[in-house]
Amino acid sequence: MLSLLLLLLLLPARGCVEAPGLAKLPRLAPLQSPDLLYADGVRAYATGAWERAVALLREALRSRAEVGRARRDCGARCAAEPGTELPPVPSSDPGSDLSPGPWERLLLRAALRRAECVSQCAARRLGPRGAAGHRVVRALQNAFRRREPYNYLQRAYYKLKKLDLAVAAAHTFYVANPKHLQIREDLVKYHRMSGVRRQSFRDLEKPLHWVAYDEGLELLKRQEVAAALPLLEEALRESLAQMENCRAQCEGPEEQLTEEEEKEEEGEAQPDSQSGLYEAIAGHWIRVLQCRQRCPGAVATRPGQDSPISDFLPIQLWQLQKAHAQVGNLSQAMENALSILLFYPEDEAVKGTLNKYQKLLGEQRPDLSAREDIRHFVFQSLGEKKLLYYAMIHLGTSFKDPDPWTPDDLIPEGLRKKLREDQEKRPWDSKLPEPESLAKWRDSHFLDGVTLTQDAGQLNGSERAVLDGLLTPAECEILLQLAKDAAKTGDGYRSRRSPHTPHELFEGLTVLRAAQLARAGAVGRRGAKLLLEASERARNLTQAYFSPEWPLHLSFTHLVCRSAIDGEQEQRMDLSHPVHADNCLLDPYSGECWKEPPAYTYRDYSGLLYLNDDFQGGDLFFTEPDALTVTAQVRPQCGRLVAFSSGGENPHGVWAVTKGRRCTLALWHTRAPEHMEQDRAEAEMLLREQEEAEEGEIPSGNSSPEPPSALGRRPQQARMEVERQHPAREEL
């Protein structure tokens, strides 16, 4: 195994280019250590020396990029140097010059020469101390990984009145930190500034493969296949190059491992660092191979996301074969399809596509084969996996294979069984109980008067339903009046007038604010109480239909109205609410939906209880994961509940409201009790206290008694008092 590890470790890395944006940073001085530059830049920022801070922070970014480039280039060049080539595989013949003993010396000599070459190359590129003089401590590695220099840069540029550069730096930091509240606020302010151009909102560190991939997909959507092909080819080449760049980084100091990787390895049974020479060497190489196996996932992860696109390379190959076929390049289409079979040899769809292309060509083409770059990647990856699985059995290490395409026969039988058992134990793979039969559901006592109008099949999806009769027309009028009297502009969205579109006025009301206003006398108690009752009816219905054995809890209740703004509807092209999913981040390009923050991942089911239909537009619609292909559409009406699961299987949006006012009770349900709506209990308590106080009042002889002070105020004054004492709690 040791010889195979050495062979794989000493294979030359392929060339790679750095991310765009970094190349634009000017060289200000001979290369210095990035951590010292960064620390000096932060100190200059703290003292208000904005120009010096910008120069130092930009140089820190350039220095870090140059260190990585030098390590990659030196590794590739030294692999081709005379005297560093690997010796042939050893012979089992005891008299041969390549028996295990002499071969071990030859291999060690090659490794020593390679190390000497890399060290001298790094010294020429980076200074006398080479890469060792540019190591970055873990805390600063994480700072660079989170793009923190760009946060300082955007503020420094703003102070220097360089708005375009400030916006670009802010956007670059935001892409990697979408949950950062301050940068969100900064970007909102930049958007509102008159001197800021739309083109300034760009990611300076967006990897080249994502730039080409996104542009290629955009052209495909516009049916410009010939223009998309070069970009898709570039995306694949750059993806493979980025993987080689990542693999080269794995050969650097172990301190470059991320914090998550370090924790993962601490939990693994790695060979004891105090053991013998060969155990220690094997342990280090195993960590290098584990790091290399994580590289495809890192390349397939968009900046700012935590999860990679599954099967990123096969997806690109599939898009390429389709595009080549559409422009008549059947030979190239077959090469890309054959490349997919290297990942999934038994894929019937790919085999069928190949047969179709073969018939169109009309002749056998034995010269056609899979792409060489993909063949190299697969061969290299499978060789590393084989060694890592060997180490699991014989050295007690751990390896979490990140790829779904690994052949079963590569995994040792004993491990194959264990991996299957572990997969069966994963809680996210366990199926939830099936809903009770429709007949039994209709027999539920509290569902009297409610009818099922459309089920999932009629809505062309899964876990969707339309139910009518949840509210009477009189109850709808009460809630509409409550919204008219108490809804706050932008409530729930940081008081922004139009959080989704500038062509509509957005107003909202939470259950707690309704109860507070009712207690203050600003609105009637009847409406606030009905708001709670209606949302509870919807919860009961949703639980009975979708989750009869798993209790659902309301996590948020929001009475929402959207009103078309007069004079802003002509030639309108946007939506009232863009396509999204309720508990994950929808990526229309890949069709993936990442269940990770800032999405509300604890949401399990969603509900929309409509109050009116006297408006134009505003229909709810469901789409495919591409956010473009509409699969179903529902027209709102009084008492109609649309309930559906909150995940990526139900992307949905709202068509533009072009006339009138559309009001809805929006509801989100969770199975997690810790995410229950806390405001709800407080609202119920306020209304109950008010009801008990009214029941306990002693009638007075005066036919016109003086009302209590709170109720004696005007409704508008009472609302203002509530706002001061109890600001609305918001959920973005």
Side-chain angles (χ1 to χ4, degrees):
M1 186 190 77
L2 187 60
S3 61
L4 289 173
L5 285 167
L6 273 169
L7 285 168
L8 277 169
L9 186 62
L10 296 178
L11 283 174
R14 298 190 172 193
C16 178
V17 294
E18 64 185 76
L22 291 181
K24 300 176 183 177
L25 295 172
R27 181 162 187 157
L28 303 179
L31 198 68
Q32 301 178 50
S33 178
D35 57 350
L36 297 179
L37 289 165
Y38 179 66
D40 288 343
V42 173
R43 278 193 287 269
Y45 175 91
T47 61
W50 309 120
E51 290 186 356
R52 176 171 171 76
V54 166
L56 289 167
L57 291 169
R58 285 171 65 94
E59 184 67 3
L61 290 166
R62 186 190 70 82
S63 174
R64 181 170 180 264
E66 179 60 26
V67 169
R69 185 164 49 245
R71 181 177 292 113
R72 181 193 66 237
D73 294 346
C74 289
R77 190 176 73 80
C78 291
E81 282 287 313
T84 64
E85 65 273 9
L86 302 177
V89 177
S91 169
S92 57
D93 184 358
S96 171
D97 290 338
L98 293 176
S99 59
W103 182 84
E104 182 184 68
R105 292 193 295 273
L106 293 174
L107 187 59
L108 179 59
R109 184 173 64 184
L112 290 173
R113 287 179 175 175
R114 180 81 61 87
E116 179 187 18
C117 176
V118 169
S119 177
Q120 292 176 353
C121 176
R124 289 192 298 270
R125 292 279 296 268
L126 304 175
R129 296 184 60 195
H134 294 80
R135 292 184 180 181
V136 179
V137 297
R138 184 175 307 283
L140 290 184
Q141 280 283 358
N142 291 335
F144 281 111
R145 195 170 288 114
R146 293 191 298 267
R147 303 186 180 182
E148 288 185 7
Y150 286 100
N151 195 19
Y152 290 105
L153 278 171
Q154 68 105 356
R155 294 173 180 274
Y157 278 132
Y158 178 78
K159 294 291 186 179
L160 294 171
K161 302 186 184 308
K162 298 180 179 180
L163 280 183
D164 282 348
L165 293 172
V167 171
H171 185 78
T172 302
F173 177 72
Y174 168 75
V175 167
N177 302 272
K179 293 181 286 184
H180 197 283
L181 295 179
Q182 185 57 54
I183 200 65
R184 286 184 176 184
E185 295 295 329
D186 290 346
L187 284 173
V188 170
K189 294 174 184 176
Y190 286 133
H191 273 287
R192 292 172 178 169
M193 292 180 182
S194 58
V196 173
R197 299 176 302 164
R198 186 180 183 87
Q199 298 87 334
S200 298
F201 293 88
R202 63 190 188 276
D203 182 2
L204 297 176
E205 286 214 31
K206 188 173 184 178
L208 289 177
H209 67 286
W210 284 119
V211 174
Y213 184 69
D214 290 343
E215 291 179 1
L217 290 185
E218 190 62 34
L219 289 171
L220 284 182
K221 288 181 180 179
R222 300 203 298 262
Q223 302 301 314
E224 299 178 27
V225 181
L229 258 176
L231 289 168
L232 295 177
E233 288 284 0
E234 181 186 354
L236 183 60
R237 288 194 304 270
E238 291 298 335
S239 296
L240 294 169
Q242 287 288 345
M243 290 180 195
E244 290 299 330
N245 184 45
C246 173
R247 291 168 61 83
Q249 297 297 322
C250 291
E251 297 177 15
E254 289 188 12
E255 68 187 24
Q256 292 185 346
L257 296 176
T258 66
E259 194 171 319
E260 291 75 19
E261 291 164 355
E262 183 183 56
K263 290 179 181 177
E264 176 183 328
E265 291 182 2
E266 286 175 356
E268 297 173 354
Q270 301 289 357
D272 188 353
S273 60
Q274 301 301 319
S275 55
L277 170 66
Y278 291 104
E279 292 92 335
I281 293 174
H284 178 77
W285 282 339
I286 287 168
R287 285 191 289 275
V288 170
L289 294 182
Q290 288 171 333
C291 176
R292 288 176 174 179
Q293 283 289 300
R294 289 189 286 267
C295 287
V299 172
T301 303
R302 285 185 179 276
Q305 302 290 346
D306 295 330
S307 306
I309 295 177
S310 182
D311 283 333
F312 188 45
L313 289 181
I315 286 174
Q316 292 189 68
L317 291 167
W318 180 258
Q319 291 163 343
L320 275 169
Q321 66 86 17
K322 285 180 62 179
H324 276 296
Q326 288 177 17
V327 298
N329 300 333
L330 293 183
S331 297
Q332 290 93 327
M334 289 189 69
E335 288 178 355
N336 285 283
L338 288 167
S339 300
I340 300 175
L341 293 181
L342 294 177
F343 296 93
Y344 295 103
E346 304 302 323
D347 191 287
E348 294 299 329
V350 178
K351 288 182 177 179
T353 300
L354 282 169
N355 290 334
K356 181 179 71 173
Y357 294 157
Q358 189 67 60
K359 291 178 181 178
L360 291 173
L361 284 172
E363 59 180 353
Q364 294 294 326
R365 293 289 303 274
D367 57 313
L368 293 179
S369 61
R371 299 171 59 121
E372 182 57 34
D373 50 2
I374 298 298
R375 189 186 299 276
H376 171 81
F377 167 80
V378 172
F379 170 79
Q380 182 176 249
S381 182
L382 291 179
E384 293 170 352
K385 292 177 190 290
K386 190 172 183 179
L387 290 171
L388 288 167
Y389 281 122
Y390 181 94
M392 286 181 70
I393 292 178
H394 298 284
L395 297 179
T397 62
S398 294
F399 169 51
K400 298 175 183 177
D401 195 332
D403 298 315
W405 53 267
T406 303
D408 283 344
D409 56 8
L410 186 76
I411 307 172
E413 179 58 35
L415 291 177
R416 206 180 307 163
K417 181 179 178 182
K418 182 179 183 300
L419 291 173
R420 279 199 299 265
E421 291 175 351
D422 291 343
Q423 187 174 19
E424 291 171 359
K425 293 176 183 177
R426 294 186 302 182
W428 52 85
D429 283 339
S430 59
K431 291 186 177 181
L432 297 173
E434 292 293 328
E436 297 183 30
S437 68
L438 185 58
K440 185 174 181 181
W441 175 79
R442 280 176 171 161
D443 289 339
S444 300
H445 176 69
F446 56 83
L447 298 175
D448 290 345
V450 175
T451 59
L452 177 66
T453 304
Q454 290 178 289
D455 59 15
Q458 294 167 305
L459 291 169
N460 303 315
S462 63
E463 293 203 280
R464 304 173 183 171
V466 176
L467 304 121
D468 285 325
L470 193 64
L471 293 172
T472 66
E475 289 174 325
C476 287
E477 286 299 325
I478 293 172
L479 292 175
L480 287 169
Q481 187 62 45
L482 175 66
K484 182 178 180 181
D485 293 340
K488 175 186 175 185
T489 301
D491 183 27
Y493 290 86
R494 295 185 179 272
S495 298
R496 285 180 287 160
R497 185 189 81 153
S498 304
H500 305 300
T501 169
H503 305 292
E504 296 175 17
L505 176 65
F506 184 95
E507 299 170 289
L509 178 67
T510 62
V511 291
L512 178 58
R513 186 164 179 270
Q516 291 167 347
L517 291 171
R519 185 177 187 181
V523 299
R525 182 165 55 86
R526 185 182 181 190
K529 186 176 181 181
L530 180 58
L531 182 62
L532 288 168
E533 292 176 356
S535 55
E536 180 61 18
R537 290 181 207 170
R539 186 200 66 79
N540 278 330
L541 268 172
T542 306
Q543 178 176 309
Y545 190 80
F546 292 113
S547 185
E549 297 179 16
W550 292 64
L552 293 181
H553 313 277
L554 279 161
S555 66
F556 192 55
T557 306
H558 201 199
L559 177 55
V560 178
C561 294
R562 307 164 189 268
S563 302
I565 299 176
D566 293 338
E568 297 189 16
Q569 303 304 315
E570 288 189 15
Q571 299 181 339
R572 179 178 170 184
M573 300 295 290
D574 64 347
L575 298 171
S576 177
H577 200 139
V579 177
H580 63 284
D582 285 342
N583 71 4
C584 54
L585 305 174
L586 182 65
D587 180 7
Y589 292 111
S590 66
E592 298 282 342
C593 201
W594 287 288
K595 202 168 182 179
E596 59 191 43
Y600 296 99
T601 57
Y602 51 82
R603 292 174 175 173
D604 294 302
Y605 289 94
S606 305
L608 298 166
L609 179 55
Y610 296 110
L611 305 182
N612 65 320
D613 62 0
D614 54 340
F615 52 86
Q616 292 180 7
D619 288 5
L620 173 76
F621 63 92
F622 293 96
T623 74
E624 296 285 0
D626 62 6
L628 295 173
T629 307
V630 176
T631 59
Q633 185 164 310
V634 180
R635 178 62 185 172
Q637 67 180 44
C638 169
R640 170 166 288 177
L641 173 68
V642 183
F644 49 92
S645 56
S646 302
E649 66 279 2
N650 280 318
H652 58 282
V654 179
W655 295 117
V657 178
T658 57
K659 186 177 181 180
R661 189 170 190 248
R662 173 191 190 270
C663 292
T664 309
L665 187 55
L667 309 152
W668 291 276
H669 313 280
T670 179
R671 290 194 176 99
E674 63 271 20
H675 290 293
M676 289 175 60
E677 188 174 25
Q678 299 301 316
D679 287 356
R680 190 174 192 83
E682 189 174 345
E684 290 172 345
M685 182 188 68
L686 287 175
L687 291 176
R688 187 166 54 249
E689 288 177 352
Q690 183 184 3
E691 187 173 348
E692 291 172 353
E694 291 178 1
E695 290 176 354
E697 287 180 357
I698 300 175
S700 169
N702 188 345
S703 59
S704 302
E706 185 70 23
S709 57
L711 297 179
R713 304 182 187 130
R714 294 180 180 178
Q716 181 62 28
Q717 292 175 327
R719 278 196 290 272
M720 293 174 63
E721 184 66 22
V722 168
E723 287 302 318
R724 285 194 294 267
Q725 296 179 2
H726 306 281
R729 301 183 188 181
E730 300 168 347
E731 177 160 321
L732 292 177

